[in-house]
């Protein structure tokens, strides 16, 4: 799954539009392989693996998760949060009937689940959400000493709402229960529910309104990760419990139905005459026959139209969270992938509503380009007979890797070659590549439990957002961009006390959602990138292939990955990486120059608040120092220099200059003396782009945390900006100055103006040099630098730049002519039109929001509607949040947009508090509440704000989002500390450098 909020600050955001580049060049080497067979685990393996998974996968003495879930694993017994192991589901036959025209739209279903019994049991325990109405239950087994199906009264079905489990008492049935060793026990259940718009389980999504008929498009799709399959059908909803699935979809004839596997038949559907629960498990019963007619829950079923039943191929063994299906009126585009490993042709399709399908071609093409690269690298063919993508109007996360049926937001898959930005194009490319990576990492090989979520998400981030795009679009320089996009995010979150280890305790369903964060994704990907650099990328990828091949169609954990990489590299990777995945945090390496070319390096844990306690500083990491030295204009790297103790001494000889963490491959910060930092700034041009990005990030971050004075980092920024020409280092500078401006937002006006002058001193000359229009031969880096410079200069309120943006907006305002709005500058133009305009500019953005040209344009309009200075206009935006004008999936974008605006920042916090109960109810089962908390509070920077936030949450039940609350406190604390500590230092620097 991809979680990537569109929340970058307008001050240095890269807006969202560009021109479609040429088809990428690809070189693929043929390999010989065979399609791997299905290898479901035996019942014995299942029980052993479940027992091993009950414990935290760390080592003795591993630090507990700070500020984490509702309870740690040590406080809960396995029986409290894991299903019993006395039964093993082997196969599900599921029929789902979708009625999009009922009032309200609803679904009903039947499931026949085939079980093996591993130990005597008189109860059947499974997962089911309280909202799912199970209307009938029947069971068939020789153990029950009857030759017929036993119908179980529904009142014998009890529920544990907290752990989302159903329990059937079998003790009163003939035979008293089920006996160990029994196979082929069948349980039939009928169930139903409303199709809600909450974006979890099987839910409804609403598209645009058809202008001809006035009808709103309504369709249904699933989102089950991590624990929402239980909202759609009764199941054993744990990743280790893999089963095969045979799905049937009952729908109206005009609807398209989709599932993980290819459709094998579609026929008119009518219920079987005389069907009854007593016969539901007989050989003659047609699954779905008891889904006819009305609803036990009183919903009104529509009788319009003729019905069909579509049946799909049986899946390989898979976890419940990867099951997927959908029903609606979709259009599609088609392509294919011919595997060099098997010679088989795999159909590739992308589905969207009819009004959006024309923007889906690029998303389809990516699958065709990327699949051969994945097969070449892993030497494992894509395993299923087809691969679809479904574009959804309502989607909680960014995208989801359902095996054979990938789903996601419109911004994740739609791209308009004429009106979308380079940023939008890159997002579509990396999202699709990320989800394709999951076809191997997560789908065919799945983590045993959620504490190893990183095995899925870190790999998909590394492969889908670095390795694969680098091979398809080398002009994007994704290896360097990874530092800004992921390493920075990882180190930012992991520098907080409320961070957690990569392998993290997550005992129950109430805590799983919280770990879908930058630690599991970005830090995980960063440590994989680091070990790849240590052993060599070829050996690393070979080790990954070994790991995958050993666990095909099964489950794995971190030690299995390290075993594969160790086999390929000959290194003890498990020992090297243990503390990187099992312990919270990362080190800062302090460099003490002792003369005669000797430097002493010391590692300590880094915290954003700079107040590490002795008990928090016990971890010693295995740190690849990667010492780069400059001598006579040439550079060299010592790859053997490693710090595994607290301190060590290194000889850099008579080098003209040196830098640790060459190419910024390590997951740590480096602290130099002010004198060395100045010298590095003067010699920066002799270092790589990756080195310069890391140097700026380290210096500015250390200053914010109090490890050095902010004035020192400003000296470095001033020095580098004199000669720096590349986008990525300048983007890091823009981000650092943007954060300074954001934290200093309530300082006196003359201080804020001085900071803006500094920003303009860096970026206004770039605007003058580059202008506002892209050239035909401009590289991606040039385009991104132009938009960075223009948007930063506008945020710093440069009068000439603002006038130019206003002039470009005027034809669009007057007669809908957007010919003077370059796609990549669209967001900045929109935002500043509203920020420095009035009601007519606001109305224009409201018009775009309601009827956007493409999804990224709608996001740009959202940020514009949040950017007004006028209180009356801001009140209109807040009213949109109240009256249903904003989709649930977009609420958090408004929250971040309003929080970025200093004129509405505190109003956003007040709105969240006022609507807290409603928001928790709406978003309790999704990721939205965490985004809303951070969006509503993270921009506040005073101790009073922190005290107020803690008082607000003090009496709230925050178990499901405790991490987000704790991380918000840490962010506010760090900002307030920075301001209190360095406000005078910054003011003095501004005076000395004539900005004040």
């Amino acid at each position: 799954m991809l979680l990537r909020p569109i929340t970058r600050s307008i001050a240095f955001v890269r807006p969202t539009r560009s021109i479609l580049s040429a088809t990428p060049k690809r070189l693929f080497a043929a390999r010989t392989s065979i399609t791997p067979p299905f290898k479901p685990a035996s019942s014995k393996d299942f029980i052993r693996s479940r027992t091993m998974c009950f414990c935290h996968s760390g080592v003795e003495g591993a630090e507990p998760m700070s500020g984490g879930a509702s309870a740690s694993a040590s406080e809960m017994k396995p029986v409290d949060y894991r299903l019993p192991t006395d039964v093993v589901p082997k196969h599900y036959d599921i029929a789902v009937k979708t009625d999009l025209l009922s009032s309200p739209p609803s679904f009903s279903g039947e499931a026949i689940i085939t079980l093996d019994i591993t130990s005597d049991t008189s109860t059947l325990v499974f997962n089911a959400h309280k909202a799912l109405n199970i209307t009938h239950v029947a069971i068939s087994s020789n153990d029950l000493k009857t030759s017929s199906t036993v119908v179980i009264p529904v009142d014998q079905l009890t529920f544990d709402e907290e752990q989302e489990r159903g329990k059937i008492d079998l003790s009163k049935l003939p035979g008293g229960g089920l006996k160990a060793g029994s196979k082929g026990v069948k349980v039939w259940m009928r169930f139903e529910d409303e199709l809600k718009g909450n974006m979890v389980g099987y839910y409804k999504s609403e598209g645009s309104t058809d202008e001809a008929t006035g009808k709103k498009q309504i369709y249904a799709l699933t989102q089950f990760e991590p624990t929402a399959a239980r909202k759609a059908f009764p199941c054993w909803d744990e990743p280790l419990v893999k089963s095969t699935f045979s799905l049937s979809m009952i729908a109206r004839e005009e609807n398209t139905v989709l599932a993980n596997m290819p459709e094998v038949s579609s026929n008119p559907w009518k219920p079987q005459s005389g069907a009854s629960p007593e016969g539901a498990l007989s050989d003659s019963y047609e699954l779905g026959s008891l889904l006819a007619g009305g609803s036990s829950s009183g919903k009104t079923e529509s009788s319009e139209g003729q019905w069909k039943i579509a049946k799909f191929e049986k899946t390989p063994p898979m976890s419940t969270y990867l099951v997927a299906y959908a029903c609606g009126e979709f259009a599609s585009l088609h392509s294919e992938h011919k595997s060099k490993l098997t010679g088989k042709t795999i159909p590739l399709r992308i589905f969207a509503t009819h009004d959006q399908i024309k923007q889906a071609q690029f998303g389809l093409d990516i699958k065709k380009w990327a699949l051969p690269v994945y097969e070449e690298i892993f030497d494992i063919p894509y395993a299923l007979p087809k691969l679809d993508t479904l574009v959804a109007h309502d989607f909680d996360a960014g995208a989801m890797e359902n095996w054979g049926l990938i789903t996601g937001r419109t911004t994740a898959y739609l791209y308009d070659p004429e009106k979308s930005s380079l940023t939008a194009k890159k997002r579509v490319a990396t999202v699709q590549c990320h989800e394709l990576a999951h076809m191997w990492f997560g789908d065919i090989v799945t983590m045993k439990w959620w504490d190893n979520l990183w095995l899925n998400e870190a790999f998909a981030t590394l492969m889908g957002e670095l390795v694969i795009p680098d091979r398809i679009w080398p002009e994007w320089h994704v290896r360097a961009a990874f530092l800004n996009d992921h390493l920075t995010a990882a180190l930012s979150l992991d520098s907080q006390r409320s961070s957690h280890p990569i392998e993290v305790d997550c005992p129950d369903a109430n805590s799983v959602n919280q770990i879908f964060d930058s630690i599991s994704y970005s830090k995980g990907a960063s440590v994989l990138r680091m070990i790849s650099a240590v052993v060599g990328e070829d050996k690393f990828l070979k080790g990954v292939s070994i790991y995958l091949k050993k666990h095909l169609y099964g489950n794995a954990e971190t030690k299995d990955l390290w075993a594969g990489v160790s086999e390929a590299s000959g290194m003890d990777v498990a020992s090297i990486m243990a503390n990187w995945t099992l312990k919270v945090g990362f080190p800062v390496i302090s460099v003490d120059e002792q003369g005669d070319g000797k430097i002493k390096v010391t590692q300590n844990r880094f915290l954003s608040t700079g107040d590490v306690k002795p008990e928090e500083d016990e971890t010693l990491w295995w740190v690849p120092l990667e010492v780069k030295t400059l001598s006579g204009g040439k550079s060299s790297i010592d790859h053997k220099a490693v710090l595994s103790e607290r301190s060590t001494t290194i000889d850099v000889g008579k080098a003209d200059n040196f830098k640790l963490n060459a190419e910024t491959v390590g997951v740590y910060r480096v602290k130099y003396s002010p004198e060395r930092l100045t010298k590095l700034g003067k010699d920066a041009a002799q270092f790589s782009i990756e080195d310069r990005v890391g140097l700026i990030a380290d210096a500015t971050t250390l200053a914010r945390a109090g490890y050095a004075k902010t004035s020192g980092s400003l000296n470095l920024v001033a020095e580098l900006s004199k000669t720096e020409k590349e986008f990525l280092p300048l983007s890091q500078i823009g981000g650092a100055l943007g954060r300074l401006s954001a934290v200093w937002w309530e300082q006196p006006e003359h201080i804020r103006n001085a900071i803006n002058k500094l920003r303009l001193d860096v970026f206004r000359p770039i605007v003058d040099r580059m202008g506002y229009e892209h050239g035909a031969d401009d590289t991606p880096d040039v385009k991104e630098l132009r938009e960075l410079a223009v948007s930063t200069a506008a945020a710093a309120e440069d009068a000439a730049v603002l006038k130019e943006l206003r002039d470009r907006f005027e034809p669009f305002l007057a007669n809908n002519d957007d010919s003077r709005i370059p796609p990549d500058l669209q967001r900045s133009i929109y935002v500043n039109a509203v920020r420095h305009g009035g009601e007519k500019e606001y109305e224009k953005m409201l018009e775009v929001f309601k009827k956007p040209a493409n999804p990224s344009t709608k996001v740009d309009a959202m940020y514009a509607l949040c950017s007004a200075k006028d209180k009356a206009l801001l009140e209109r935006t807040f009213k949109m949040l109240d009256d249903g004008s904003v989709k649930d999936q977009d609420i958090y974008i408004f929250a971040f947009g309003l929080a970025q605006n200093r004129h509405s920042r505190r109003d956003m916090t007040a709105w969240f508090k006022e609507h807290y109960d409603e928001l928790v109810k709406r978003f309790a089962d999704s990721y939205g509440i965490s985004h809303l908390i951070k969006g509503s509070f993270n921009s506040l920077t005073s101790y009073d704000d922190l005290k107020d936030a803690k008082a607000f949450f003090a009496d709230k039940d925050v178990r499901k989002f405790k991490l987000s609350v704790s991380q918000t406190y840490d962010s506010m604390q760090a900002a307030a500390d920075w301001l209190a500590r360095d406000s005078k230092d910054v003011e003095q620097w501004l005076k000395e450098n004539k900005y004040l």
Side-chain angles (χ1 to χ4, degrees):
M1 184 189 296
L2 189 73
L3 295 173
R4 187 184 296 168
I6 309 171
T7 54
R8 289 170 290 186
S9 170
I10 298 302
F12 48 96
V13 72
R14 303 198 295 272
T16 50
R17 280 179 135 189
S18 169
I19 300 171
L20 181 61
S21 66
T23 301
K25 298 178 181 178
R26 305 175 299 283
L27 293 175
F28 307 128
R31 298 269 183 102
T32 301
S33 183
I34 58 173
T35 303
F38 296 167
K39 295 181 179 179
S42 67
S43 298
K44 186 182 294 184
D45 291 337
F46 167 78
I47 296 171
R48 182 171 61 250
S49 298
R50 287 288 300 276
T51 303
M52 293 171 64
C53 265
F54 289 149
C55 301
H56 182 266
S57 57
V59 295
E60 186 176 355
E63 296 178 34
M65 178 172 65
S66 173
S70 55
S72 70
S74 61
E75 295 170 335
M76 300 180 70
K77 298 177 181 179
V79 70
D80 293 329
Y81 61 92
R82 299 291 296 277
L83 293 171
T85 59
D86 46 20
V87 302
V88 181
K90 307 302 289 186
H91 181 71
Y92 292 74
D93 286 289
I94 300 175
V96 178
K97 182 184 179 188
T98 307
D99 192 346
L100 299 173
L101 300 181
S102 64
S103 181
S106 62
F107 71 92
S108 56
E110 294 181 47
I112 297 175
I113 308 169
T114 304
L115 307 171
D116 285 354
I117 312 303
T118 59
S119 59
D120 293 352
T121 182
S122 60
T123 60
L124 199 61
V125 182
F126 54 92
N127 289 119
H129 192 269
K130 61 183 179 181
L132 186 68
N133 182 25
I134 299 175
T135 61
H136 299 82
V137 180
I139 188 168
S140 175
S141 170
N142 291 332
D143 292 339
L144 300 178
K145 296 183 178 180
T146 177
S147 58
S148 61
T149 297
V150 176
V151 176
I152 299 174
V154 177
D155 59 11
Q156 292 186 22
L157 177 62
T158 58
F159 287 94
D160 177 349
E161 292 189 6
E162 179 72 17
Q163 294 300 324
E164 298 179 344
R165 294 183 196 158
K167 180 178 179 181
I168 301 173
D169 183 3
L170 305 176
S171 61
K172 297 179 182 179
L173 299 180
L178 301 170
K179 305 302 180 185
S182 298
K183 295 183 180 296
V185 174
K186 294 184 182 297
V187 177
W188 169 81
M189 299 189 210
R190 185 193 182 281
F191 48 90
E192 60 189 20
D193 196 6
E194 175 186 341
L195 283 167
K196 304 179 182 69
N198 55 2
M199 299 179 290
V200 291
Y202 190 37
Y203 69 95
K204 70 176 180 180
S205 180
E206 296 185 355
S208 57
T209 300
D210 188 300
E211 294 182 357
T213 64
K215 294 177 62 177
K216 184 178 287 291
Q217 300 169 327
I218 296 178
Y219 53 95
L221 71 154
T222 57
Q223 171 54 43
F224 290 162
E225 189 178 24
T227 57
R230 64 192 67 175
K231 296 178 184 290
F233 59 93
C235 56
W236 278 252
D237 198 16
E238 296 183 359
L240 182 63
V241 191
K242 287 194 169 185
S243 307
T244 54
F245 294 82
S246 296
L247 289 169
S248 298
M249 297 289 290
I250 300 169
R252 288 187 171 78
E253 284 185 343
E254 66 270 19
N255 290 144
T256 298
V257 287
L258 304 169
N260 302 89
M261 298 295 283
E263 185 179 304
V264 293
S265 67
S266 181
N267 296 296
W269 178 80
K270 289 184 179 181
Q272 185 179 7
S273 178
S276 67
E278 289 77 7
L281 291 172
S282 67
D283 293 339
S284 61
Y285 180 73
E286 295 178 10
L287 191 66
S289 291
L290 287 166
L291 300 181
S295 164
S296 301
S297 57
K299 298 179 178 64
T300 303
E301 184 177 73
S302 171
S303 59
E304 293 182 30
Q306 299 297 311
W307 295 82
K308 64 181 177 183
I309 182 168
K311 297 183 178 181
F312 297 86
E313 284 185 29
K314 180 180 177 180
T315 72
M318 59 190 288
S319 304
T320 47
Y321 79 88
L322 295 169
V323 174
Y325 42 89
C327 174
E329 295 187 29
F330 307 122
S332 62
L333 301 174
H334 299 246
S335 184
E336 63 182 28
H337 158 63
K338 187 168 184 178
S339 173
K340 291 184 178 180
L341 299 180
T342 65
K344 294 181 179 179
T345 298
I346 307 297
L348 306 175
R349 302 182 295 180
I350 191 165
F351 291 83
T353 52
H354 293 269
D355 58 321
Q356 294 188 326
I357 194 64
K358 61 182 179 294
Q359 296 181 23
Q361 184 63 51
F362 181 57
L364 176 64
D365 289 341
I366 295 164
K367 290 195 288 189
K368 183 175 182 178
W369 298 334
L371 278 174
V373 188
Y374 276 117
E375 290 193 343
E376 178 195 4
I377 289 174
F378 301 143
D379 194 32
I380 300 171
Y382 172 71
L384 298 191
K386 62 93 174 175
L387 180 55
D388 294 336
T389 299
L390 174 62
V391 184
H393 287 81
D394 299 273
F395 205 81
D396 184 30
M400 177 61 202
E401 68 268 18
N402 311 300
W403 209 357
L405 178 55
I406 297 169
T407 52
R409 288 181 177 229
T410 55
T411 51
Y413 292 121
L414 300 182
Y415 171 76
D416 181 347
E418 296 182 359
K419 295 292 186 180
S420 294
S421 70
L422 177 59
T423 298
K425 182 179 183 179
K426 285 185 173 183
R427 176 173 170 81
V428 172
T430 54
V431 169
Q432 190 71 282
C433 288
H434 180 111
E435 303 310 325
L436 290 175
H438 278 304
M439 301 299 106
W440 287 266
F441 295 100
D443 294 7
I444 197 169
V445 179
T446 313
M447 74 269 163
K448 289 182 177 179
W449 182 245
W450 298 105
D451 56 356
N452 273 251
L453 171 69
W454 86 285
L455 286 177
N456 288 9
E457 298 302 348
F459 263 113
T461 301
L462 180 76
M463 298 301 301
E465 303 184 50
L466 190 154
V467 176
I468 301 301
D470 185 52
R471 298 188 181 204
I472 301 178
W473 300 279
E475 69 276 12
W476 288 356
H477 300 151
V478 293
R479 290 184 180 272
F482 182 91
L483 305 180
N484 284 351
D485 294 341
H486 289 288
L487 182 61
T488 295
L491 296 186
S492 175
L493 181 54
D494 206 30
S495 67
Q496 298 182 344
R497 277 197 171 86
S498 52
S499 183
H500 60 80
I502 289 175
E503 294 184 67
V504 54
D505 291 336
C506 47
D508 61 9
N510 289 328
S511 62
V512 173
N513 276 359
Q514 301 188 77
I515 65 170
F516 285 79
D517 61 11
S518 292
I519 303 300
S520 298
Y521 287 71
S522 296
K523 185 185 178 184
S526 296
V527 300
L528 290 174
R529 173 177 172 266
M530 179 172 66
I531 192 61
S532 175
V534 169
V535 306
E537 187 169 295
D538 289 344
K539 290 180 180 178
F540 173 76
L541 292 175
K542 175 63 177 176
V544 170
S545 178
I546 292 170
Y547 156 77
L548 290 171
K549 289 178 178 178
K550 286 185 177 179
H551 299 280
L552 291 175
Y553 300 100
N555 299 78
E557 52 192 342
T558 299
K559 67 180 181 64
D560 301 316
L561 169 64
W562 298 152
V565 180
S566 294
E567 182 178 336
S569 67
M571 299 178 68
D572 185 0
V573 175
S575 295
I576 291 172
M577 298 304 295
N579 284 347
W580 289 108
T581 61
L582 298 173
K583 300 295 182 73
V584 67
F586 62 90
V588 53
I589 309 300
S590 300
V591 180
D592 179 17
E593 300 187 38
Q594 300 184 319
D596 296 325
K598 300 291 195 304
I599 60 173
K600 182 182 179 181
V601 292
T602 304
Q603 63 165 302
N604 299 95
R605 184 180 172 189
F606 177 81
L607 281 180
S608 62
T609 45
D611 55 349
V612 181
K613 301 171 184 177
E615 62 270 21
E616 296 173 317
D617 194 22
E618 297 175 351
T619 301
L620 294 176
W621 288 270
W622 191 96
V623 182
L625 293 173
E626 297 290 296
V627 183
K628 177 178 282 191
T629 53
L630 297 179
S631 296
K634 294 183 179 180
S635 67
S636 62
I637 302 174
D638 180 0
H639 297 293
K640 295 181 180 180
V642 171
L643 177 61
S644 55
E645 303 297 326
R646 179 66 66 187
S647 299
T648 193
T649 300
I650 296 173
D651 190 349
V652 296
K654 297 180 180 180
D656 298 331
N657 210 339
F658 69 89
K659 177 189 177 293
L660 272 61
N661 201 10
E663 311 306 319
T664 316
V665 299
V667 185
Y668 56 90
R669 298 288 185 198
V670 183
K671 178 179 179 294
Y672 302 98
S673 67
E675 296 77 17
R676 177 58 56 182
L677 201 59
T678 298
K679 185 169 177 55
L680 284 167
K682 292 183 182 298
D683 290 344
Q686 298 182 58
F687 289 94
S688 68
I689 290 176
E690 290 85 349
D691 282 330
R692 303 199 302 272
V693 169
L695 188 64
I696 298 163
D698 285 352
T700 55
T701 302
L702 287 164
R704 289 198 303 275
Y707 290 80
K709 287 293 186 182
T710 301
S711 55
S713 67
L714 292 175
N715 284 331
L716 176 68
V717 165
E719 186 65 40
L720 287 175
S721 63
K722 293 175 184 177
T723 57
E724 186 58 67
K725 303 296 182 184
E726 298 291 340
F727 163 68
L728 288 166
L730 284 164
S731 178
Q732 191 67 231
I733 289 173
L737 296 179
R739 282 184 287 273
L740 179 69
S741 176
V743 172
W744 262 246
W745 71 287
E746 289 185 302
Q747 293 299 293
E749 186 176 6
H750 69 284
I751 300 291
R752 301 199 312 270
N753 290 340
I755 293 172
N756 279 339
K757 288 178 183 177
L758 169 60
R759 298 168 80 187
L760 290 173
D761 208 23
V762 177
F763 289 101
R764 177 56 200 270
I766 301 174
V767 177
D768 293 340
R769 184 177 78 248
M770 301 184 75
Y772 298 83
E773 297 286 350
H774 293 323
D777 298 325
D778 282 352
T779 65
D781 282 354
V782 168
K783 294 178 181 179
E784 290 177 305
L785 180 55
R786 179 179 288 110
E787 61 185 270
L788 169 69
V790 171
S791 60
T792 303
E797 302 200 347
D798 181 85
V801 172
L802 289 174
K803 181 180 184 305
E804 177 69 24
L805 298 187
R806 185 168 58 250
D807 290 346
R808 288 174 174 272
F809 184 77
E810 192 59 37
F812 183 54
L813 179 65
N815 53 31
N816 222 33
D817 175 11
D818 65 355
S819 61
R820 296 200 64 212
I821 301 179
D824 294 287
L825 296 182
Q826 178 176 268
R827 183 179 298 185
S828 187
I829 291 173
Y830 281 6
V831 163
N832 286 288
V834 174
R835 178 179 292 158
H836 300 285
E839 186 172 4
K840 61 180 181 179
E841 287 82 5
Y842 185 94
E843 290 287 351
K844 187 64 177 179
M845 286 299 95
L846 193 59
E847 177 187 317
V848 173
F849 169 76
K850 292 178 178 178
K851 195 173 181 180
N854 54 63
S856 57
T857 293
K858 183 174 183 177
V859 174
D860 294 346
M862 292 181 203
Y863 278 108
L865 292 170
C866 296
S867 299
K869 295 180 181 179
D870 183 82
K871 284 292 184 183
L873 295 179
L874 287 171
E875 286 176 5
R876 291 181 61 180
T877 300
F878 279 106
K879 185 178 179 182
M880 290 172 61
L881 300 181
D882 294 333
D883 65 13
S885 299
V886 180
K887 283 177 172 285
D888 281 0
Q889 70 160 13
D890 296 328
I891 293 260
Y892 77 87
I893 298 177
F894 277 83
F896 277 91
L898 288 162
Q900 286 173 4
N901 182 354
R902 60 188 303 269
H903 300 282
S904 55
R905 187 165 293 165
R906 295 192 184 283
D907 293 334
M908 182 63 230
T909 308
W911 183 88
F912 176 88
K913 291 178 179 179
E914 181 183 350
H915 294 80
Y916 175 81
D917 291 337
E918 172 200 344
L919 293 172
V920 170
K921 184 177 180 180
R922 283 168 69 183
F923 297 106
D925 295 327
S926 71
Y927 305 99
I929 191 66
S930 294
H931 293 318
L932 285 170
I933 290 169
K934 292 183 177 182
S936 300
F937 290 90
N938 272 13
S939 296
L940 301 178
T941 58
S942 75
Y943 292 121
D944 286 343
D945 289 324
L946 176 59
K947 182 179 178 181
D948 182 67
K950 288 182 175 180
F952 175 76
F953 285 110
D955 62 348
K956 307 294 189 298
D957 180 1
V958 298
R959 286 177 299 167
K960 289 189 176 183
F961 41 89
K962 183 177 180 180
L963 270 177
S964 296
V965 173
S966 298
Q967 289 162 4
T968 294
Y969 294 162
D970 284 351
S971 294
M972 296 171 73
Q973 180 78 49
D977 287 350
W978 183 24
L979 192 60
R981 182 178 57 247
D982 273 7
S983 58
K984 296 297 183 183
D985 178 62
V986 169
E987 183 175 1
Q988 183 62 32
W989 188 91
L990 292 170
K991 286 179 179 177
E992 291 176 357
N993 289 270
K994 303 191 181 341
Y995 292 105
L996 261 179

